[in-house]
């Protein structure tokens, strides 16, 4: 099971510029692929500035809210949703809130962290690309049973040390695809927590994903998972979160 089978809430940030830039480009490529002339459509998106990172991303932490009832843990199977064709994983570090706080200072924000865990934000990229064309979401691109994998445990801050120096890796079917570190966030952990707590109370058991690292998902290279793939996310001092993607129905 997940270390928090039903968290109080799930929020997930977009916090690493390389990932954001590459994901935006991939989203536009997917959208253009449905046009009569995909290259012309993609060029039009580029000319319209749709490949650029919106300035607001640099100004404040941005996040979406996930489905807290869809959590699974280590060695559990991820269901392939019946509306999806392109499934993906995401390499993320997450924090678990341990005390109530509102309008937090940076120190109060860090003091409120109960611990850290690994978050694999499984995603139906074709659905996500369609629904975000309306400038809302993601919704069903992220919301399906078993879509949020956490674990294998929660590690308290005293054992983590510096959360920006953790080695983070991805393996698919035993092949290592990513070997990186947790540093390089546009907005640090304290700022993310402070932002959420503005005029809003956070409660123990809420989970905040700190965002997918650059090259930390298949979306960025338009390479997607296949049924039966085994995805392992490893974060130094936390462990390995392993999940298998089920077969399409």
């Amino acid at each position: 099971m997940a270390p928090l089978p039903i968290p109080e809430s799930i929020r997930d940030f977009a916090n690493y510029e390389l990932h954001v830039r590459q994901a935006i480009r991939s989203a536009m490529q997917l959208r253009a692929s449905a046009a009569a002339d995909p290259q012309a459509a993609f060029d039009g998106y580029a000319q319209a500035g749709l490949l650029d990172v919106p300035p607001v991303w640099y100004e404040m932490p941005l996040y979406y809210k996930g489905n807290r009832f869809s959590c699974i843990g280590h060695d559990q199977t991820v269901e392939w949703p019946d509306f999806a064709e392109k499934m993906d994983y995401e390499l993320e570090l997450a924090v678990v809130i341990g005390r109530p706080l509102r309008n937090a200072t940076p120190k109060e924000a860090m003091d409120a962290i109960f611990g850290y865990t690994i978050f694999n934000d499984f995603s139906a990229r074709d659905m996500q690309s369609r629904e975000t064309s309306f400038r809302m979401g993601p919704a069903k691109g992220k919301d399906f049973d078993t879509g949020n994998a956490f674990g294998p445990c929660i590690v308290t801050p005293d054992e983590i040390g510096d959360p920006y120096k953790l080695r983070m890796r991805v393996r698919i079917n035993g092949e290592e695809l990513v070997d990186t570190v947790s540093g390089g966030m546009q907005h640090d952990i304290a700022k993310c927590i402070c932002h959420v707590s503005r005029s809003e109370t956070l409660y123990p058991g809420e989970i905040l994903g700190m965002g997918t690292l650059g090259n930390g998902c298949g979306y960025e290279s338009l390479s997607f998972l296949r049924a039966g793939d085994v995805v392992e996310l490893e974060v130094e001092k936390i462990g390995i979160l392993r999940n298998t993607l089920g077969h399409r129905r």
Side-chain angles (χ1 to χ4, degrees):
M1 296 176 66
L4 276 178
I6 305 179
E8 292 300 308
S9 75
I10 299 172
R11 292 178 175 86
D12 195 12
F13 291 88
N15 218 1
Y16 292 87
E17 186 171 5
L18 178 60
H19 167 74
V20 170
R21 287 189 177 279
Q22 293 184 152
I24 290 174
R25 183 178 183 86
S26 293
M28 294 301 103
Q29 287 177 311
L30 275 183
R31 192 181 304 178
S33 68
D37 187 338
Q39 188 59 54
F42 183 79
D43 291 343
Y45 298 152
Q47 293 170 8
L50 296 183
L51 273 62
D52 300 335
V53 178
V56 67
W57 181 83
Y58 296 96
E59 299 164 3
M60 69 174 72
L62 301 175
Y63 64 92
Y64 79 93
K65 294 181 178 178
N67 180 0
R68 69 191 188 99
F69 297 106
S70 64
C71 297
I72 59 172
H74 178 65
D75 264 345
Q76 291 189 276
T77 299
V78 178
E79 175 184 315
W80 191 306
D82 59 12
F83 52 78
E85 293 184 4
K86 294 178 171 62
M87 291 295 294
D88 199 10
Y89 62 90
E90 302 200 39
L91 173 63
E92 300 196 40
L93 178 70
V95 302
V96 181
I97 299 299
R99 66 178 68 169
L101 75 164
R102 184 176 189 269
N103 294 324
T105 65
K107 183 180 186 306
E108 290 169 341
M110 297 304 290
D111 288 345
I113 295 174
F114 172 75
Y116 295 82
T117 190
I118 306 171
F119 180 24
N120 194 339
D121 171 28
F122 282 93
S123 304
R125 296 302 193 187
D126 44 336
M127 176 62 81
Q128 180 184 354
S129 180
R130 289 185 62 200
E131 60 194 8
T132 53
S133 68
F134 184 60
R135 300 183 183 276
M136 287 183 66
K140 292 304 292 180
K142 304 281 188 176
D143 287 348
F144 50 89
D145 287 346
T146 73
N148 292 310
F150 292 102
C153 57
I154 299 170
V155 179
T156 50
D158 58 303
E159 295 190 7
I160 288 293
D162 188 342
Y164 305 107
K165 293 183 178 179
L166 301 175
R167 188 178 183 186
M168 299 179 65
R169 293 184 281 185
V170 176
R171 289 183 293 273
I172 307 294
N173 301 323
E175 178 185 357
E176 186 166 282
L177 302 182
V178 179
D179 187 347
T180 185
V181 294
S182 54
M185 299 176 189
Q186 174 66 22
H187 306 286
D188 65 23
I189 295 169
K191 186 174 180 180
C192 290
I193 296 173
C194 289
H195 180 72
V196 174
S197 77
R198 294 178 63 185
S199 299
E200 179 181 2
T201 303
L202 275 73
Y203 294 94
E206 297 199 51
I207 293 179
L208 280 65
M210 289 295 110
T212 305
L213 281 80
N215 297 317
C217 68
Y219 197 25
E220 296 171 58
S221 59
L222 292 177
S223 55
F224 300 103
L225 295 172
R226 297 171 296 179
D229 279 352
V230 178
V231 182
E232 290 183 319
L233 306 187
E234 182 172 359
V235 178
E236 183 182 1
K237 300 184 180 181
I238 299 177
I240 296 172
L241 174 64
R242 180 173 57 243
N243 299 98
T244 301
L245 180 61
H247 290 266
R248 300 179 66 178
R249 296 178 180 179

